[in-house]
Amino acid sequence: MDLYSIGEMVIDFIPGSEPGSYLQNAGGAPANLAIAAARCGLDAGLCCSVGDDVFGRFLLDTLRKNNVRVLRPELCREAVTTMAFVTLTETGDRSFTFARKPGADMFLREEDVREADIRESVIVHAGSCSLSASPAAEATVRAMDLGRKLGKLVSFDLNYRDVMWPGGEEACAGKVREILPDVDLLKIADEEIGVLGGEAAIPALMEQYGVTLVVETRGSRGAVGFFRGERIEVPGRQARCVDATGAGDAFWGGLLAQLRSRGVTRAAELTEDLVREAMTYGNVGGWLCVQEKGALSSLPTREEVERYLA
């Protein structure tokens, strides 16, 4: 298994819709990223907790149709866990209301993370949806810590809007710093990099915590990577909207897929050329996704990205 992705789900609702009408989107960065990576050629598995309701069944069906293995299907229960209700505006921007669906009690638990699954994988990925004050946070930390101890490539997609930890932004930042020693590859959006001290603070942060690569995605303005003292920038492409659901996941899924296709299994194997190539590949993937405002069907395949690059 190339990719082991762990996390909880988010429901994206259609603008102006009645309650319960959701966007045809897998829901949550770990699921979206697993699908994006699978569409780019990775053998992907998702450890998650979903419900036996309309959305839960849609999610499971979507994962399977996209060749993502659901590693713990026995976790399906009567309600779906949501970390946030997300509404897309007409321009593709996201409006967040942090809440939990009434009756949602299916948090991913620490014991749900199986060592055998992680041993089988090359990349262990987690999303910040799971880094909240719940048992899911412990499951996430366990997965990344075990991945690091087993010598896996550990990836983390940070979005502070998804981190719900008592104490506000400062407490959230502290919780993120707790997990950074287990992270090899870190993705963060430009609008939130200031929480980590801004771009100027990133090199020192990487040295302090041993993070090998940090990538700041900047929507239509491209992306900036920080790697071994180098600042790597890839240009953006104009799009109808920037913050479309799935665009960042398409970027990161494409980046991981490209690194894996080049034979990378450890952070020490990364080079500047490989990082630049993977960032370019991911940037095209995110741009292709955003053209359709993040609809699940627009998560690009490897063939679509390579056709554009050609």
Side-chain angles (χ1 to χ4, degrees):
M1 182 167 56
D2 294 309
L3 175 70
Y4 172 96
S5 190
I6 179 172
E8 302 225 36
M9 302 299 101
V10 173
I11 296 179
D12 292 352
F13 288 101
I14 299 171
S17 66
E18 294 297 320
S21 298
Y22 55 89
L23 188 71
Q24 294 295 297
N25 192 48
N32 288 339
L33 183 135
I35 292 171
R39 288 171 72 90
C40 286
L42 288 192
D43 177 15
L46 175 69
C47 181
C48 65
S49 179
V50 299
D52 185 19
D53 59 5
V54 174
F55 177 77
R57 288 190 293 273
F58 164 76
L59 173 59
L60 289 173
D61 185 55
T62 300
L63 291 165
R64 290 162 180 159
K65 283 181 177 178
N66 284 278
N67 298 315
V68 175
R69 279 185 280 171
V70 180
L71 298 177
R72 297 304 301 273
E74 65 271 26
L75 296 183
C76 300
R77 305 177 200 170
E78 290 301 320
V80 62
T81 297
T82 61
M83 301 308 292
F85 293 125
V86 184
T87 299
L88 295 186
T89 67
E90 296 301 333
T91 62
D93 295 326
R94 299 157 84 184
S95 173
F96 284 73
T97 302
F98 291 103
R100 285 194 175 276
K101 184 176 177 180
D105 60 353
M106 331 158 339
F107 296 98
L108 201 65
R109 299 158 304 183
E110 188 174 353
E111 57 266 30
D112 297 329
V113 176
R114 295 187 292 201
E115 183 173 333
D117 291 328
I118 295 180
R119 283 188 179 278
E120 186 189 349
S121 68
V122 174
I123 301 168
V124 175
H125 174 80
S128 49
C129 279
S130 300
L131 201 64
S132 298
S134 76
E138 303 309 316
T140 300
V141 170
R142 170 167 154 71
M144 292 191 295
D145 182 60
L146 188 54
R148 172 56 68 91
K149 288 177 179 176
L150 293 173
K152 309 300 180 180
L153 198 62
V154 180
S155 162
F156 190 73
D157 184 354
L158 174 60
N159 188 325
Y160 271 98
R161 293 174 300 187
D162 293 342
V163 180
M164 298 192 299
W165 204 265
E169 188 175 274
E170 183 177 342
C172 291
K175 193 62 183 177
V176 169
R177 285 183 167 84
E178 284 183 25
I179 58 96
L180 284 182
D182 284 330
V183 177
D184 296 308
L185 313 178
L186 175 68
K187 172 183 168 291
I188 186 168
D190 60 335
E191 65 209 51
E192 294 166 326
I193 199 168
V195 182
L196 293 180
E199 286 191 9
I202 294 301
L205 192 77
M206 294 173 69
E207 183 175 0
Q208 178 182 356
Y209 292 104
V211 180
T212 300
L213 172 66
V214 173
V215 175
E216 172 196 354
T217 54
R218 305 189 298 174
S220 62
R221 294 181 294 118
V224 173
F226 302 88
F227 175 72
R228 295 180 184 167
E230 298 296 323
R231 185 181 187 275
I232 302 170
E233 186 167 356
V234 295
R237 293 167 174 80
Q238 291 302 312
R240 290 197 299 271
C241 58
V242 176
D243 191 21
T245 298
D249 303 316
F251 179 103
W252 202 237
L255 180 143
L256 294 179
Q258 189 65 6
L259 290 180
R260 185 72 188 98
S261 74
R262 297 302 187 192
V264 174
T265 61
R266 301 286 189 275
E269 297 168 354
L270 289 173
T271 65
E272 183 179 340
D273 287 344
L274 284 173
V275 169
R276 186 180 299 277
E277 177 186 288
M279 285 179 60
T280 300
Y281 187 100
N283 195 42
V284 170
W287 178 75
L288 289 173
C289 175
V290 88
Q291 295 305 296
E292 299 299 328
K293 295 190 178 181
L296 179 62
S297 59
S298 72
L299 289 172
T301 63
R302 175 173 289 277
E303 291 74 19
E304 289 170 328
V305 175
E306 292 180 346
R307 186 162 57 245
Y308 181 88
L309 287 171

